[in-house]
Amino acid sequence: MAMGASASDVKALLQVSGEDGALVDALDRRAAAARRALQAAAEPSPSFFEGFALQGIRVDSIHPGRILCSFTVPTRLTAGGNHLAPGAVVALVDEIGSAAAVADGHHLKVSVDMSVSFVDLAAAAPGDTLRISARALGHRGAYSGTHVLVANAATGKVVAEGRHSLFGKMKIGSNI
């Protein structure tokens, strides 16, 4: 303390105004957001396609051999801007069908065959929420089969239905 300055004088000198305090708080929030962005960028991510096509899938429930997800159709995945693109449907069948096989306690496998019936793509417009259910049909040796149903959550209309065959005994590595 300076000679002759009382504790209350020093406290008043060190007091931060409400406006200055708000500026410091804003800097802290920006720094925290930047730290989170750097951490996310440092973590291994799926391929560009997976991130582009599958961003926004929510897992609603998962049980052995079954998985239920919801997905809001983004405009980036539409054909002509008016309905979900067929390629996006195939990506959903592939990824969620694989998840159903893994949810049944089997190792990660690779797709060897897929068939998708596009029942009513118009039932999946931008902003519509889809309900995607997948179940493991069975396993024989290194072969697994799954069934995936994509429907509009509000109307119940089936958008597409797929069957997915997977093969292999790939082990999932861990950095833990």
Side-chain angles (χ1 to χ4, degrees):
M1 258 199 266
M3 293 299 269
S6 70
S8 61
D9 291 338
V10 172
K11 188 175 180 181
L13 180 65
L14 296 176
Q15 188 68 29
V16 177
S17 72
E19 183 178 297
D20 289 339
L23 290 171
V24 170
D25 289 342
L27 286 173
D28 187 46
R29 283 191 300 273
R30 282 191 219 133
R35 277 192 303 275
R36 286 190 303 272
L38 285 173
Q39 288 170 342
E43 293 177 10
S45 62
S47 70
F48 169 78
F49 174 76
E50 288 174 340
F52 180 78
L54 304 174
Q55 181 182 1
I57 291 178
R58 291 170 305 280
V59 176
D60 299 323
S61 70
I62 188 164
H63 300 285
R66 293 184 180 274
I67 186 167
L68 179 63
C69 301
S70 54
F71 182 67
T72 302
V73 178
T75 54
R76 73 177 185 280
L77 297 180
T78 59
N82 57 2
H83 63 78
L84 189 61
V89 173
V90 171
L92 292 169
V93 169
D94 183 23
E95 292 297 326
I96 298 174
S98 295
V102 173
D104 210 16
H106 286 75
H107 291 289
L108 185 63
K109 300 177 180 192
V110 295
S111 301
V112 292
D113 185 49
M114 229 182 332
S115 64
V116 179
S117 298
F118 302 103
V119 179
D120 186 4
L121 289 175
D128 286 351
T129 299
L130 303 179
R131 184 177 170 99
I132 307 159
S133 60
R135 64 185 175 96
L137 297 174
H139 309 279
R140 174 160 260 148
Y143 179 83
S144 296
T146 63
H147 175 261
V148 180
L149 187 66
V150 181
N152 184 304
T155 65
K157 288 185 178 179
V158 174
V159 174
E161 181 177 14
R163 290 191 181 255
H164 189 193
S165 301
L166 304 113
F167 184 80
K169 292 185 178 181
M170 298 166 48
K171 297 204 185 263
I172 301 172
S174 173
N175 294 335
I176 296 175

